[in-house]
Amino acid sequence: MASNKGAASEPHKLTQKKYKAAVDDVLATTKVRLTDFDQKAVHLLDYLQRNGGRASEALRFLKQTASGVERTEILNWRAYVYTLLRKFDEKAYKEMKAQSEGRTPTAG
């Protein structure tokens, strides 16, 4: 059975990231588990890291926002984590989505 922090038997997609220490801090100080970072969340963190080195800052925002939230309060933790990361920088999120769709973001 997986541990309380959601460690998997195989290496996780975040173990080799430059912002891993910030991820570890979130895991140690909140109810967020490693498995709550889905592919979309990792993609957004990677985008923030490539564009200004801001993944650690986004993870600090996640830590502050998720602090005190219990597992029983959230039905879908993957969606919750992704939503909070999106709220950290909506503009960067829209730019990332536009790039992945092969177009430039619209103003607004």
Side-chain angles (χ1 to χ4, degrees):
M1 175 162 259
S3 74
N4 187 35
K5 290 296 179 183
S9 59
E10 63 186 51
H12 194 272
K13 55 197 163 275
L14 291 168
T15 58
Q16 301 299 318
K17 303 294 183 180
K18 290 183 178 185
Y19 50 84
K20 180 166 183 330
V23 170
D24 290 342
D25 187 40
V26 170
L27 299 178
T29 58
T30 69
K31 300 295 181 180
V32 174
R33 297 178 181 166
L34 190 59
T35 55
D36 296 332
F37 291 92
D38 64 7
Q39 182 178 353
K40 294 187 302 184
V42 173
H43 186 68
L44 180 53
L45 287 168
D46 286 346
Y47 181 85
L48 289 168
Q49 187 64 29
R50 282 191 313 272
N51 295 279
R54 298 179 59 220
S56 293
E57 189 179 337
L59 288 160
R60 279 192 299 276
F61 173 79
L62 174 62
K63 176 184 169 181
Q64 290 173 334
T65 309
S67 179
V69 177
E70 296 297 324
R71 295 292 298 182
T72 55
E73 295 177 56
I74 305 298
L75 294 176
N76 184 338
W77 274 82
R78 286 181 176 205
Y80 178 67
V81 166
Y82 186 57
T83 298
L84 292 178
L85 291 174
R86 284 174 46 188
K87 286 183 179 184
F88 168 72
D89 188 340
E90 286 284 342
K91 182 180 176 193
Y93 165 74
K94 289 176 182 176
E95 290 170 356
M96 178 195 74
K97 291 296 285 183
Q99 281 184 8
S100 69
E101 295 171 359
R103 57 184 174 82
T104 56
T106 57

